[in-house]
C-alpha cells in the first residue's frame, strides 16, 4: 500500500482582502476537488490567518506508487485549472507501507 501526500501553497486573487473572502475561495477550491475526485482527502492546513495565501494538504491511497503519483498530479492539475487561486508551491511525498502491518 502507498500513501501519497501533497502540500499546495495557493496565492489568492488580489480582491481577497479579508479572511471571509479567503475562506470562500478556499471552500470553492476544496469543494471542486472533492466533487471531481471522491477518493481524495483535502483540507486547509496552514496560513489560516493570512489573507492572500493558503496551504492545502491532500492525501490519496493506492496499491501502486506510480498510480498514487499520477493521482496527485491529476488533482494538482485540476486545482490549478480551476482559476480560483494560483498554485505557487507544491511538495509531494509517496510513502510505502509494507504488508507486515498488523502482524503480531
Amino acid at each position: 500500500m502507498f500513501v501519497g501526500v501533497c502540500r499546495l501553497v495557493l496565492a489568492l486573487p488580489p480582491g481577497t482582502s479579508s479572511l471571509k473572502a479567503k475562506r470562500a475561495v478556499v471552500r470553492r477550491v476544496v469543494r471542486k476537488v472533492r466533487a471531481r475526485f471522491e477518493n481524495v482527502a483535502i483540507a486547509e492546513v496552514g496560513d489560516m490567518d493570512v489573507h492572500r495565501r493558503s496551504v492545502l494538504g491532500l492525501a490519496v491511497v493506492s496499491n501502486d506508487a506510480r498510480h498514487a503519483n499520477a493521482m496527485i498530479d491529476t488533482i494538482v492539475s485540476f486545482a490549478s485549472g480551476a482559476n480560483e487561486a494560483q498554485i505557487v508551491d507544491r511538495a509531494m511525498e509517496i510513502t510505502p507501507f509494507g504488508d507486515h502491518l498488523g502482524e503480531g
Side-chain angles (χ1 to χ4, degrees), residues 2-96:
F2 295 88
V3 176
V5 294
C6 183
R7 179 181 178 269
L8 298 176
V9 179
L10 305 178
L12 301 179
T16 310
S17 59
S18 69
L19 289 177
K20 183 176 180 179
K22 171 197 173 172
R23 290 191 177 104
V25 171
V26 171
R27 271 195 307 270
R28 282 194 302 271
V29 171
V30 169
R31 190 176 335 126
K32 286 181 179 182
V33 169
R34 284 183 182 154
R36 174 70 173 85
F37 304 97
E38 56 191 42
N39 292 329
V40 64
I42 183 169
E44 185 175 18
V45 296
D47 289 340
M48 304 289 211
D49 295 328
V50 179
H51 294 168
R52 299 283 315 281
R53 189 177 61 232
S54 178
V55 179
L56 299 180
L58 63 93
V60 299
V61 177
S62 178
N63 62 345
D64 180 65
R66 287 175 293 171
H67 182 251
N69 191 26
M71 287 172 58
I72 290 175
D73 287 342
T74 302
I75 294 164
V76 170
S77 177
F78 175 81
S80 67
N83 296 326
E84 301 290 339
Q86 180 183 4
I87 297 174
V88 294
D89 192 22
R90 163 188 168 171
M92 180 177 59
E93 185 174 332
I94 307 295
T95 304

